[in-house]
Amino acid sequence: MNKLSKTCTATRSAFVILLTLAQITIWSVSLRADITPITNPFSGNALETWDELPGGYASSPLSIFDGLATISGDNPFIWTTAYSLGTPGGLGLGPFDARAFDGTHGYVTSVSAGSAQIVFDLPVTDFGGYWGYAVDYPPATFTFYDSHGSLIGSEDFTYTSPNNNGTLEWQGWHSSVPVSSISYRGYWVANDSLRITIAPEPSTSALLICSVLVTGMAQRLGIKRNCCLTA
């Protein structure tokens, strides 16, 4: 192999290495998976209050967030705020009925140890709402997945029954990796006023690095190939 051919081979190898490094730069963003609580309520891009839906048993899956997601659950039910146990359409959480945070309606998986899944049309970074479940039962567990169905993380939520009158509690989460679906499980887990923040486009800085490296090396490789052909 002559000196010029060796140069071409070395250039191709360098191109492959830099392209791999550029890919790693982008992939590394998704490797830093972390779920953290959001202490204060946020506005987000979309809100689901359940008030546009009639009370009673709901379809599954059910379109929510103005068509940006669907929710499926075990024996899903749209409950109505009630102030005394046994009120038709209400949801008993033990010694009291659930109270909606805004409006009059909420959503529940109306079986013991029920589960639900929310699937987003567009990935989200923030998710939250007002939650409750039957008192004296174990915490509800929320599990977050990415677009490939891979686990991002899990978080528990403990309902402390504030005011002891059915008031729901705020709980939200932020994910360092865009979330494509969430499943949760617990005992008569109720919610209201859900909200989401849609994930931004992929990091422009990572894409710029990748573009510069690939373009530059492609141009360099093209020059070297011309040298090989014309030598």
Side-chain angles (χ1 to χ4, degrees):
M1 181 180 294
N2 60 37
K3 183 177 180 180
L4 193 55
S5 295
K6 289 181 179 179
T7 302
C8 290
T9 300
T11 302
R12 292 191 188 96
S13 298
F15 174 73
V16 172
I17 292 171
L18 287 176
L19 179 58
T20 300
L21 290 174
Q23 292 173 329
I24 292 174
T25 299
I26 296 175
W27 292 339
S28 64
V29 175
S30 64
L31 294 178
R32 297 192 298 270
D34 191 26
I35 302 293
T36 53
I38 299 176
T39 304
N40 298 316
F42 60 90
S43 298
N45 300 118
L47 179 70
E48 181 56 65
T49 67
W50 310 107
D51 288 323
E52 75 281 7
L53 298 171
Y57 289 101
S59 59
S60 185
L62 178 67
S63 178
I64 59 175
F65 293 124
D66 293 324
L68 293 175
T70 59
I71 187 170
S72 304
D74 295 329
N75 208 32
F77 187 81
I78 305 299
W79 51 269
T80 302
T81 292
Y83 299 96
S84 61
L85 289 173
T87 301
L91 173 66
L93 295 180
F96 42 72
D97 274 13
R99 297 187 182 187
F101 173 76
D102 50 13
T104 59
H105 288 169
Y107 179 94
V108 66
T109 48
S110 57
V111 293
S112 179
S115 63
Q117 182 181 42
I118 300 174
V119 178
F120 302 105
D121 287 353
L122 297 172
V124 304
T125 55
D126 299 332
F127 169 76
Y130 289 82
W131 302 87
Y133 56 78
V135 297
D136 298 327
Y137 278 86
T141 299
F142 293 75
T143 308
F144 302 79
Y145 300 92
D146 66 16
S147 59
H148 303 291
S150 299
L151 175 67
I152 298 174
S154 295
E155 291 285 324
D156 287 345
F157 163 69
T158 299
Y159 179 52
T160 63
S161 58
N163 305 320
N164 203 40
N165 64 0
T167 299
L168 303 183
E169 287 185 80
W170 164 261
Q171 182 61 64
W173 298 271
H174 171 78
S175 175
S176 60
V177 175
V179 175
S180 288
S181 65
I182 297 171
S183 64
Y184 63 87
R185 185 173 182 83
Y187 294 83
W188 294 279
V189 179
N191 69 65
D192 186 32
S193 195
L194 300 182
R195 66 278 312 270
I196 55 174
T197 298
I198 297 173
E201 294 297 322
S203 171
T204 54
S205 59
L207 293 176
L208 180 60
I209 292 172
C210 180
S211 175
V212 170
L213 287 173
V214 172
T215 302
M217 290 309 301
Q219 292 174 345
R220 183 177 178 83
L221 181 58
I223 293 173
K224 292 297 183 180
R225 282 179 174 169
N226 288 338
C227 292
C228 292
L229 292 173
T230 59

